[in-house]
Amino acid sequence: MKTYLSLFLITAICLCISGCSNYRELNQIGVIIGLGIDENKNSEQPYKVTYQVINPSGLSQGSSSGGQGLPVINYTVTAKTLVEALKKASVVIPREHITSHLSLIVVGEKLARSDLSSLFDALDRGKQARTSIPVFIARDGTAEKLLGVIEPFEVTPVKSIISTSQNAQKVYGIVSNVQAYEVISMLVSEGKDLSLPGISINKPSQNGEEAGNLESTSPSAMQVKGLAIFRNGKLVRWLDDEEARSIQLATSKVKGTALVFPCSINGNSTLTTTGIKSKIKTKIRHGQPVIHTDLNVMGEITETSCRKDLSNPKVLKELEKEVENELQKEVTKAITIAQKEKSDIFGFGDSLSRTNPSYWGQHKKNWENLFSSAKISMNVNVSIVNTGMRTNPYEVN
């Protein structure tokens, strides 16, 4: 009996003291979901940091209780370091702010061209922040301006940027999201340079930062704009369209895309990919590195303006050869551009460090020059697995 009584008392005490000691309502805290970092004109306060904070009242506008204002509010401060900026944000943010829900980091282009080498130290060192956060470059503008655009399709600018880039990777393949921990890894790597997706505003206007932007049939909106390539932590060049996509193809980061290739003097065909796989190797021949890439692509013909019998296996083989030639030109051009900038964004040096560590140990300090003069070897294999619902294009009188 005493045993049961003791258990009852213990259970009662546990029920009385149970609960979350650090529990706080959403309207008591400032949840930071977006971080924008720009270069400040004042050298004594080199960073201009924008925090995008959730506005609970704005998010609840669709509820029966109503709401006030936009779903997010941006606060900007200047500081010597990012940690100081977070502390100084308490001067303008009226609630205790937390970064545990940070979902996006945008870096202004001017700052990216200056240096990113130590920019993410606070993020990697901090206890609350996560490093699984996508990082973007605000092309031709500032992170502050980019985070201020109010779009009709997504609730917040942060969600819009992430969704747009994910959609671009899935459908077109010119960029892929890069997490903060990957950025840090590439910045400290001796055999791979950094590359980051660019985001810009397609129709910059004053209304883009106001609720009036939602009332336009052609509003200001986010758009994926190119791939930023870096050397030694500094942005050196932008790659666009096929050049950017070629980088993703060579590194197996394309989920899907449409490859357009000539099939006659004035006609083109489109191959929509269903599978892409690539492999990077760096070999040493006569004491010099040779860059080799294997690229395998599977796809189906989804459009053509050429009068060819697609039911003929010989014709399909010819078309496969055309796609292989086009891909070889595009990827070779992208690698050549990277060599010109001495930016090993493919990770050929990283591959060499694993396959030939002794050679890498002797030449890693001179890898920029060795990479820029390395010969390119490429093997492209394309398989057309389907030609759609038609075997021939329709006749036009």
Side-chain angles (χ1 to χ4, degrees):
M1 185 67 181
K2 290 184 178 180
T3 303
Y4 287 114
L5 183 59
S6 299
L7 289 174
F8 176 77
L9 290 174
I10 293 172
T11 304
I13 293 171
C14 289
L15 289 173
C16 290
I17 65 173
S18 64
C20 299
S21 60
N22 62 345
Y23 175 78
R24 287 169 292 177
E25 294 286 348
L26 186 60
N27 59 8
Q28 296 175 325
I29 57 176
V31 180
I32 296 173
I33 60 170
L35 174 64
I37 313 171
D38 291 303
E39 184 177 84
N40 191 30
K41 294 180 180 179
N42 184 354
S43 59
E44 294 183 0
Q45 305 279 324
Y47 295 116
K48 188 176 185 181
V49 185
T50 300
Y51 298 100
Q52 186 157 106
V53 183
I54 287 289
N55 176 17
S57 178
L59 286 175
S60 65
Q61 289 190 48
S63 65
S64 58
S65 60
Q68 296 180 348
L70 295 172
V72 291
I73 302 172
N74 289 351
Y75 297 94
T76 301
V77 296
T78 60
K80 296 179 181 178
T81 67
L82 296 187
V83 173
E84 183 188 37
L86 184 62
K87 300 299 182 182
K88 289 180 70 173
S90 61
V91 176
V92 291
I93 301 178
R95 298 171 183 171
E96 180 184 353
H97 46 279
I98 61 172
T99 59
S100 56
H101 293 275
L102 183 64
S103 304
L104 174 76
I105 298 175
V106 182
V107 181
E109 180 172 344
K110 191 173 181 180
L111 178 59
R113 290 190 178 277
S114 175
D115 197 1
L116 294 187
S117 296
S118 58
L119 189 64
F120 297 93
D121 181 83
L123 187 68
D124 195 32
R125 195 182 298 270
K127 296 178 180 179
Q128 285 190 337
R130 297 173 294 108
T131 55
S132 56
I133 306 167
V135 181
F136 297 86
I137 303 298
R139 186 170 182 179
D140 302 323
T142 64
E144 180 185 19
K145 190 77 174 177
L146 198 68
L147 288 175
V149 176
I150 302 298
E151 280 198 89
F153 270 113
E154 298 292 354
V155 177
T156 68
V158 166
K159 183 67 169 65
S160 179
I161 292 172
I162 295 175
S163 298
T164 301
S165 62
Q166 288 176 340
N167 193 45
Q169 180 183 7
K170 181 180 179 180
V171 179
Y172 190 34
I174 60 171
V175 297
S176 60
N177 284 358
V178 182
Q179 308 296 315
Y181 69 86
E182 296 176 290
V183 174
I184 296 168
S185 177
M186 284 184 276
L187 286 172
V188 300
S189 172
E190 295 178 312
K192 187 174 184 179
D193 282 300
L194 177 65
S195 62
L196 288 173
I199 293 286
S200 68
I201 306 171
N202 67 343
K203 295 178 181 178
S205 69
Q206 189 173 1
N207 290 335
E209 299 179 44
E210 301 173 357
N213 191 48
L214 307 180
E215 299 173 359
S216 172
T217 57
S218 184
S220 295
M222 308 294 182
Q223 67 172 354
V224 175
K225 193 173 182 182
L227 187 70
I229 64 174
F230 290 73
R231 183 177 70 245
N232 297 328
K234 298 180 180 180
L235 195 162
V236 293
R237 181 166 180 160
W238 286 98
L239 298 180
D240 292 294
D241 300 323
E242 287 81 9
E243 293 174 355
R245 184 178 62 185
S246 296
I247 303 294
Q248 307 300 308
L249 285 169
T251 53
S252 292
K253 292 182 179 179
V254 175
K255 293 184 178 180
T257 190
L259 302 170
V260 180
F261 59 96
C263 52
S264 66
I265 297 177
N266 297 316
N268 291 300
S269 290
T270 303
L271 180 77
T272 299
T273 61
T274 56
I276 299 170
K277 188 176 181 180
S278 64
K279 191 174 182 180
I280 291 174
K281 296 179 182 178
T282 310
K283 301 179 179 179
I284 303 300
R285 294 178 185 171
H286 308 294
Q288 295 297 318
V290 176
I291 293 170
H292 182 75
T293 300
D294 280 313
L295 179 59
N296 297 286
V297 176
M298 293 177 61
E300 54 186 18
I301 300 295
T302 51
E303 183 181 2
T304 183
S305 59
C306 300
R307 300 182 184 278
K308 291 190 175 184
D309 182 10
L310 299 181
S311 64
N312 188 337
K314 185 178 179 180
V315 172
L316 290 183
K317 286 293 181 184
E318 292 174 353
L319 293 178
E320 288 174 348
K321 192 63 179 177
E322 288 289 343
V323 182
E324 289 172 357
N325 291 336
E326 287 299 310
L327 282 176
Q328 189 154 7
K329 290 177 184 177
E330 289 181 12
V331 177
T332 300
K333 181 181 178 181
I335 295 176
T336 303
I337 291 173
Q339 286 182 303
K340 181 181 178 182
E341 300 295 341
K342 296 184 177 182
S343 174
D344 184 7
I345 52 178
F346 301 91
F348 290 114
D350 185 56
S351 172
L352 181 61
S353 68
R354 294 192 302 271
T355 57
N356 198 330
S358 59
Y359 181 92
W360 175 254
Q362 297 173 17
H363 299 88
K364 63 181 180 179
K365 292 184 179 179
N366 190 39
W367 177 243
E368 281 187 0
N369 296 320
L370 290 172
F371 167 71
S372 65
S373 60
K375 293 183 178 180
I376 302 173
S377 171
M378 185 174 299
N379 178 46
V380 181
N381 181 49
V382 174
S383 298
I384 298 177
V385 296
N386 197 352
T387 58
M389 301 296 290
R390 299 183 63 91
T391 55
N392 297 299
Y394 54 80
E395 297 288 337
V396 179
N397 295 325

